[in-house]
Amino acid sequence: MKLSALGRIALATGIAVLTTAMLPGTPASAAPVKRKILPVLVEFNDASFQFPDKVKASTPDTYFGAKSDSAASFLSEVSRGQYTVVPAIKEQFLGPIKLDLSAAGCPQGKINQMTRDELAKRGLVAGKDYESLSIVFPAQKTECPWAGLATLPGPTTWINLYGTASGIDVVGHELGHNLGFGHQGRVQCTGGNLGACKEAGASHTSIMAGGYRPAGFSAPEMIRAGWLSGGASVKVTKSGVYTLRSLHGKGSGVRALDIALGGDRLVIEYRHAAGNFDAKLEGVHAYRVPKGSYGSSSLIDTTTANKTAANNAPPNTDAITKLTDKASKLSVAVVSSGGGQAKVKVALNGDSLASLDPTPSKSPTTTPTPSAATPTPSASAATEAMGDSSEPVTETGPEELTAAAEDSSTALPLAAAGGGAALLAVGLAFLFTKRRHRRRH
Ligand SMILES: [Zn+2]
């Protein structure tokens, strides 16, 4: 798949060029955030990296390399220059450091504590010299049931490294957890009826689910991160026809509509190929944001066909054409979608969609292509019950493994981590597939 995790031996040529100019329509509300991250290679008293030189060579490249899928490049592009990671120290990473600790039993808490103690001995102060810590260690003896783990939100990521280099699908996903993003689910609201939705696995429109790096983050996550400020996200408070530009990519314009849905929010975005993102994603997509928790959104899927990163379903398979919610007297309909622009009718307070005149907005779209497949009406029980305000612990069940095996790449087990006080999110984007369990603590 997209994961080229193994054997990457690129030399670190320095820090990626991250000086993305401020874009029109993106007011310089704040200086770009450059978060100081410290990757530390760690070994155990009974386990070492098989090829330490290769791991050392790949690490700066994975985090700070000029390549488009380094963590720095990925975050810079997806945030449109508003956020990235920079090296906390001039050597860019530390280690390997030998911990007097056995790898057995995946002692993630001790790995974290002992690594931080070692950093303190070297005079490195958390929060000052480094803001984020990414601990990379050899996987062979840990039996950790994950490839990556992260505090949610928080400053720590763990990379349980099987090969000689980690990839953005893991590192970017874990750093997304650090930003406060949980795993993104999918709810099936067949026919677009928001009063009749059921949980239906994982979204494919974000690296926080099955979308991998080519999807970047979705609109709710971008809102949560503060990257759609300055008019890029519009809170819709009156009925009308709204024009959206693509969520990703340079330029100005409205990238997301944010609409009240009872106590929740409905977020609408338009996806279209832009830069390194969305080559295989097209159309207007919708999300339910529970209780204003933008890091815990679910893709609203109005069809029974599912787009995943592993199948060849058309890019607009899960694009919406129409949504209705009787309880909040809301209707949404896509007027046109394609060629980099979409027009969406939003009818609030029981207004009728038909009363909204889309004609003034007919011409600007260059080549309107019809959006998604026609939704199949049907209703099922269970309104979605989704999570929780602040800091969900998101866990996945072992059944992902079945489908993940199709991916052939690194089939790593992903299982329910123990939990406990620490808020940890187990992450393996590439193991996301059909079914998902979530548990909260
Ligand atoms: Zn995760």
Side-chain angles (χ1 to χ4, degrees):
M1 276 208 36
K2 285 117 202 151
L3 205 70
S4 58
L6 302 183
R8 188 180 295 134
I9 317 166
L11 290 174
T13 48
I15 304 156
V17 179
L18 298 165
T19 44
T20 308
M22 288 312 288
L23 304 163
T26 312
S29 48
V33 173
K34 294 180 178 177
R35 192 168 173 91
K36 286 187 280 186
I37 187 168
L38 180 56
V40 180
L41 309 179
V42 157
E43 295 180 328
F44 305 99
N45 59 22
D46 55 359
S48 305
F49 290 110
Q50 242 180 321
F51 303 102
D53 289 344
K54 291 184 178 180
V55 177
K56 284 163 76 172
S58 74
T59 299
D61 200 41
T62 297
Y63 289 85
F64 312 112
K67 61 177 188 168
S68 69
D69 64 348
S70 71
S73 301
F74 169 79
L75 289 165
S76 184
E77 184 180 4
V78 76
S79 71
R80 291 171 287 115
Q82 296 172 92
Y83 182 94
T84 192
V85 287
V86 294
I89 58 174
K90 71 174 187 316
E91 297 82 3
Q92 304 198 26
F93 71 99
L94 273 183
I97 292 174
K98 201 89 166 169
L99 301 182
D100 187 16
L101 176 69
S102 167
C106 191
Q108 76 234 14
K110 280 189 179 160
I111 293 172
N112 183 25
Q113 191 51 56
M114 292 176 76
T115 302
R116 287 176 181 274
D117 291 347
E118 288 294 329
L119 297 179
K121 280 185 207 164
R122 287 161 173 76
L124 291 165
V125 179
K128 178 173 162 280
D129 297 313
Y130 62 97
E131 295 163 302
S132 292
L133 176 62
S134 192
I135 310 171
V136 183
F137 49 86
Q140 279 72 17
K141 290 188 181 171
T142 61
E143 295 171 345
C144 293
W146 36 261
L149 189 72
T151 47
L152 195 166
T156 312
T157 51
W158 291 255
I159 306 296
N160 187 37
L161 188 66
Y162 277 87
T164 55
S166 192
I168 192 65
D169 285 327
V170 173
V171 174
H173 176 99
E174 300 308 332
L175 292 176
H177 284 316
N178 280 176
L179 285 162
F181 313 154
H183 291 157
Q184 189 170 65
R186 178 197 297 259
V187 290
Q188 197 167 60
C189 313
T190 313
N193 176 5
L194 296 180
C197 305
K198 58 180 180 183
E199 289 204 38
S203 149
H204 66 98
T205 55
S206 168
I207 195 174
M208 300 315 296
Y212 311 92
R213 175 253 185 176
F217 296 118
S218 64
E221 292 151 352
M222 304 270 284
I223 291 172
R224 154 93 199 207
W227 299 335
L228 294 184
S229 57
S233 173
V234 167
K235 285 204 169 172
V236 174
T237 53
K238 58 181 181 185
S239 302
V241 183
Y242 294 84
T243 302
L244 286 169
R245 52 144 299 141
S246 62
L247 177 67
H248 297 307
K250 295 174 181 173
S252 58
V254 177
R255 297 169 193 263
L257 303 177
D258 185 354
I259 308 161
L261 183 65
D264 295 345
R265 308 290 301 181
L266 175 69
V267 172
I268 307 281
E269 67 181 14
Y270 168 62
R271 303 298 285 266
H272 181 75
N276 287 298
F277 301 118
D278 291 351
K280 293 183 178 173
L281 202 50
E282 177 63 46
V284 177
H285 290 74
Y287 302 85
R288 187 162 196 138
V289 174
K291 309 278 180 287
S293 179
Y294 290 89
S296 309
S297 63
S298 290
L299 177 73
I300 293 171
D301 184 356
T302 60
T303 71
T304 50
N306 278 358
K307 174 78 181 149
T308 70
N311 71 18
N312 287 323
N316 64 357
T317 299
D318 295 326
I320 61 158
T321 51
K322 195 174 176 186
L323 299 176
T324 52
D325 185 53
K326 280 193 181 136
S328 51
K329 297 180 178 171
L330 167 79
S331 310
V332 173
V334 176
V335 179
S336 65
S337 167
Q341 192 181 75
K343 293 191 181 297
V344 180
K345 282 182 180 182
V346 181
L348 305 177
N349 308 317
D351 291 349
S352 88
L353 285 168
S355 69
L356 301 172
D357 182 9
T359 38
S361 47
K362 242 180 190 169
S363 44
T365 315
T366 42
T367 39
T369 39
S371 176
T374 315
T376 329
S378 117
S380 51
T383 3
E384 66 146 18
M386 283 288 303
D388 93 324
S389 43
S390 42
E391 300 174 338
V393 175
T394 317
E395 293 173 351
T396 48
E399 52 272 58
E400 274 84 39
L401 286 175
T402 344
E406 298 166 7
D407 286 354
S408 81
S409 55
T410 347
L412 303 173
L414 177 63
L423 295 160
L424 301 174
V426 179
L428 261 200
F430 48 92
L431 288 183
F432 259 94
T433 47
K434 317 273 186 299
R435 301 185 57 207
R436 214 162 51 94
H437 288 185
R438 37 176 69 214
R439 209 196 300 161
R440 291 191 209 107
H441 296 254

